[in-house]
Amino acid sequence: LELQLHPDKLGASEAKLEGVLKADPANLSARMALGKLREQQGKPAEALKEYELALKQQPGFGLAALRKVWVVGELLGDPGKVYNDALKLRETYSADPELAKVLGKGAYLKKDFPFAARLLKESLAKRPQDGDLLYYAGRASIEIGAAGEGGQFLRQAVQLPLDAGLKNEANRVLAQIKK
């Protein structure tokens, strides 16, 4: 549990975590720590496997469900796939900025722009330097008629690390707003 609550203390080596799980496959703390370590290593598919194993062991385990939604929705880039799960988790984890981002992007893809804008702006309050988040908040704001705010978000987004395709699209939309 300590490792779940303090991911900054994941100094335990990969081998040590795997050893703990080999000796005790039901050790949820080690399973979650290994999942988080896999995320940090840039191995989202392997992280997802760990979170799914944790959920198989303990189906109602909220933290594993939350990490699974983040991995699928953000790291694997499919927020629509976990939209319903994210909605359910929102009841318990209403202040989680990562969940708000995934759910907001899912709402954007479903063209529920008012809900998307609200969630994405909520997430921005805790993640103001997230270019991807600023991009989607900008696009959702524009869709609900708040072009000024949307343009501001897009201008901020293009100044931060952002996928090249999204950056090009943001610049295209900004040019249209200026007309």
Side-chain angles (χ1 to χ4, degrees):
L1 184 60
E2 180 68 18
L3 291 173
Q4 294 167 18
L5 298 175
H6 302 285
D8 56 313
K9 295 183 179 179
L10 284 175
S13 73
E14 183 175 5
K16 184 174 180 182
L17 289 170
E18 289 173 344
V20 168
L21 288 168
K22 188 173 185 175
D24 180 10
N27 187 318
L28 282 177
S29 293
R31 176 112 16 241
M32 293 300 295
L34 187 57
K36 188 68 176 171
L37 182 63
R38 297 288 191 232
E39 284 183 54
Q40 292 171 348
Q41 292 172 329
K43 299 175 179 177
E46 292 180 31
L48 177 60
K49 182 181 123 196
E50 296 303 329
Y51 300 139
E52 287 176 335
L53 286 170
L55 285 167
K56 190 174 183 179
Q57 266 179 256
Q58 192 173 334
F61 189 29
L63 186 57
L66 190 62
R67 295 313 310 160
K68 176 184 174 183
V69 163
W70 174 254
V71 169
V72 173
E74 186 63 20
L75 302 181
L76 295 174
D78 197 354
K81 186 174 184 176
V82 290
Y83 184 79
N84 290 333
D85 292 338
L87 270 177
K88 290 175 195 163
L89 286 167
R90 180 88 173 145
E91 295 171 15
T92 304
Y93 298 98
S94 60
D96 188 285
E98 291 179 346
L99 180 60
K101 180 181 179 181
V102 170
L103 189 54
K105 286 173 72 173
Y108 179 87
L109 294 173
K110 291 182 174 294
K111 300 190 184 316
D112 185 352
F113 300 118
F115 189 44
R118 183 172 62 82
L119 289 166
L120 295 165
K121 286 190 273 187
E122 178 185 308
S123 185
L124 271 174
K126 294 179 182 169
R127 300 172 60 102
Q129 298 298 308
D130 184 330
D132 183 67
L133 182 55
L134 282 159
Y135 170 82
Y136 282 100
R139 293 301 308 266
S141 294
I142 290 167
E143 291 290 344
I144 62 170
E149 178 182 58
Q152 181 182 354
F153 288 147
L154 291 177
R155 281 188 289 283
Q156 289 175 293
V158 298
Q159 300 302 313
L160 295 169
L162 183 63
D163 172 80
L166 295 181
K167 188 173 277 197
N168 290 339
E169 181 63 14
N171 284 321
R172 186 191 66 75
V173 171
L174 286 168
Q176 285 182 333
I177 290 174
K178 289 181 184 178
K179 292 181 181 179

